[in-house]
Amino acid sequence: MRTPSRARSGGRVASTGKTGRALLSGVLAVCLAGSMAVIPVPAQAKPKPPVIPSKAAVARAKQAAAAKAAQVAAIERQLAAANARLEQLGVASGIADEAYNGAVYRLQQAKAEAAAAEARAAKAEQTLATQRQEIGRFAAASYQGGGNVAQLAPLFTANGPQQLLDSAGAAHSVSTAMQGSYLRFTAAQVVTNLFKVQAEQAVVQVKKATDEAAKAKAAAEAAEAAQAAAVTAIGVQRKQSIAQLAVLQNTSIRVAAQRQRGLEELARQRAAALAARKAAELRRRIAAREAAERAREAAEKAREREQAKKNGHKPPMPGGHDGGGSRRGAQAAIDFAMAQLGDMYLWGATGPSRWDCSGLTMGAWEAAGVQLPHYSVAQYEQIQPINEAALRPGDVIVSWTNPDDPNTIHHVAMYLGDGRMIHAPRTGEPVQIDSVFYWEPPDFFGRP
């Protein structure tokens, strides 16, 4: 039996498929073997050993970090020193400014004394001229009377002896008057010469005071210029230092500046807290003193009333004298000073819109009817010293660098009460209200 052709064909296809699959498998095996031979499989990589800094490297890193910290601290100290330098320059310029005010004050005194001496000399010269005229009249009368020979003529007249006696009496009176006039003339001449010498000396003093005022003005201008230059230089240094801080601390200049402002604000707050504690202690002492005064006054009034009852008199009305006039004057001075808040400082200025420290206190108390000189040392010499616990609003507060030398007075202010004062601090600052202890402790208190 013959197999159909289709079946035979199919058999051949099937046989060929098996052969193809076998061939394909062989080819793939060869290809795979070839591929494995072309792309080698990497071996397992060995881990790198860790980098361990040497002790020297660690020491250098620590040293570098410490150096940065030290540099940061040094720059911060420089900034603090710069601020302190500004404070010192403020004191120095204040002393120079007040020294100039003092020189002007002494110049005004010298001119007033010179004018008074000149007036005295002129008056003495006029008196001397009057005395000289009187001596001249006596001399002329004596000459016209014929001298002593004329006095003998009455001996040869009828009434000779008596007339001679009368004439002798008159002559004696004239002689006495003439002698007195001569003595007055001599005294007037001595006084006139003395007043002339005083006037000449006063002129010399004016010249000396003028020269001193010029020198003091130059010194004050130099101090003000030094302070202004320092403000500028320290401002530049501040910017440079903050930039260095930013590099060292690996921050931005903005952050470094913000940090520096924070540090300075912290220092200011600490200083303000200390000033507040001192002011609170001052208020406590003042309150204790005022309470003691009120108790003493009440006891005194009670004794007066009791004594008045015993004597049958009408008891005095309550109230009494409590310095009301003085306190009203102080209030007028305070009102004037408060009206100047915000006016800028200018050395030598006495208003109306610029002030230095003594100019402000002078102007304020002038508004209250009290004359103070435009010179802090002279104000210190003229006001009544008081104890710190006796402070009342309107009293004058004085600061100096050496309590044994009033010429080192560099600042005056006015007490407002509650531990506060109003003052014109220094160049670049306005009239403002501060704690009594905001800058440095005051050294003297007085009442105009």
Side-chain angles (χ1 to χ4, degrees):
M1 180 174 177
R2 298 177 63 180
T3 305
S5 59
R6 183 176 181 87
R8 287 197 300 270
S9 176
R12 285 196 298 269
V13 171
S15 175
T16 302
K18 288 181 181 180
T19 304
R21 284 195 296 273
L23 180 61
L24 179 61
S25 299
V27 171
L28 289 172
V30 171
C31 290
L32 180 60
S35 299
M36 292 176 66
V38 173
I39 304 175
V41 176
Q44 184 70 31
K46 292 182 179 180
K48 292 182 179 180
V51 177
I52 301 175
S54 66
K55 291 182 179 180
V58 171
R60 285 194 298 271
K62 289 182 177 179
Q63 186 177 4
K68 282 189 177 183
Q71 291 174 18
V72 168
I75 293 173
E76 289 177 345
R77 285 195 299 272
Q78 290 174 5
L79 289 169
N83 292 334
R85 175 63 177 158
L86 288 179
E87 294 293 333
Q88 294 170 356
L89 286 171
V91 171
S93 64
I95 292 175
D97 294 349
E98 285 306 302
Y100 169 71
N101 289 340
V104 173
Y105 174 71
R106 287 187 292 273
L107 175 58
Q108 293 171 344
Q109 287 182 317
K111 287 182 177 179
E113 178 58 31
E118 184 66 28
R120 288 194 301 267
K123 186 176 180 181
E125 185 67 41
Q126 184 179 1
T127 301
L128 183 63
T130 302
Q131 296 295 331
R132 187 181 290 111
Q133 291 175 358
E134 187 175 347
I135 292 292
R137 284 196 299 270
F138 277 121
S142 177
Y143 177 79
Q144 292 172 0
N148 293 331
V149 175
Q151 295 178 9
L152 299 176
L155 291 174
F156 305 100
T157 64
N159 298 324
Q162 184 60 44
Q163 186 177 354
L164 181 61
L165 291 175
D166 294 341
S167 298
H172 177 73
S173 297
V174 171
S175 176
T176 301
M178 184 174 180
Q179 184 179 8
S181 179
Y182 179 75
L183 291 175
R184 287 192 296 275
F185 170 76
T186 303
Q189 193 172 33
V190 171
V191 171
T192 300
N193 291 337
L194 175 62
F195 285 167
K196 284 183 178 179
V197 171
Q198 289 180 345
E200 292 171 356
Q201 291 176 342
V203 171
V204 173
Q205 288 299 319
V206 169
K207 176 64 170 62
K208 181 181 178 182
T210 302
D211 293 341
E212 289 179 352
K215 291 179 181 178
K217 182 178 181 180
E221 289 174 341
E224 293 289 333
Q227 185 182 22
V231 168
T232 302
I234 289 172
V236 173
Q237 178 190 355
R238 177 184 173 84
K239 290 182 179 179
Q240 294 174 345
S241 299
I242 288 175
Q244 292 175 7
L245 285 174
V247 173
L248 291 171
Q249 296 171 340
N250 196 25
T251 59
S252 68
I253 293 179
R254 181 185 62 81
V255 172
Q258 184 178 5
R259 179 177 183 275
Q260 183 60 30
R261 286 195 300 270
L263 291 174
E264 292 174 355
E265 175 62 18
L266 180 61
R268 189 198 66 78
Q269 290 177 0
R270 287 173 178 170
L274 178 60
R277 288 196 298 272
K278 290 182 177 180
E281 176 61 21
L282 175 61
R283 290 195 299 270
R284 186 193 65 77
R285 289 198 298 270
I286 292 175
R289 189 265 309 164
E290 291 178 344
E293 281 187 357
R294 287 193 297 269
R296 185 167 53 254
E297 290 175 358
E300 181 63 27
K301 290 174 182 178
R303 283 194 298 271
E304 290 177 357
R305 288 193 295 270
E306 186 64 26
Q307 188 64 37
K309 289 179 180 178
K310 288 181 180 179
N311 297 334
H313 299 153
K314 184 177 180 180
M317 295 296 292
H321 175 69
D322 61 352
S326 173
R327 297 199 182 196
R328 283 191 296 272
Q331 188 58 53
I334 290 172
D335 291 343
F336 180 92
M338 292 292 287
Q340 316 313 316
L341 278 173
D343 288 354
M344 294 303 295
Y345 179 98
L346 177 65
W347 68 274
T350 58
S353 59
R354 304 290 293 274
W355 309 87
D356 64 10
C357 63
S358 56
L360 180 63
T361 51
M362 180 190 75
W365 273 101
E366 185 178 16
V370 177
Q371 298 298 319
L372 291 177
H374 182 206
Y375 179 32
S376 58
V377 176
Q379 290 185 7
Y380 155 78
E381 292 171 345
Q382 292 187 20
I383 59 181
Q384 174 190 356
I386 59 174
N387 186 277
E388 183 182 36
L391 270 173
R392 288 199 316 230
D395 290 341
V396 175
I397 299 172
V398 180
S399 297
W400 50 37
T401 57
N402 181 2
D404 296 325
D405 183 6
N407 290 320
T408 63
I409 291 174
H410 60 84
H411 193 57
V412 288
M414 179 181 292
Y415 186 62
L416 292 179
D418 199 32
R420 301 171 305 141
M421 65 180 180
I422 183 170
H423 63 145
R426 61 169 80 80
T427 300
E429 295 287 339
V431 174
Q432 58 191 330
I433 296 173
D434 283 306
S435 165
V436 170
F437 304 96
Y438 99 105
W439 188 3
E440 55 187 42
D443 304 284
F444 178 85
F445 309 92
R447 183 165 299 145

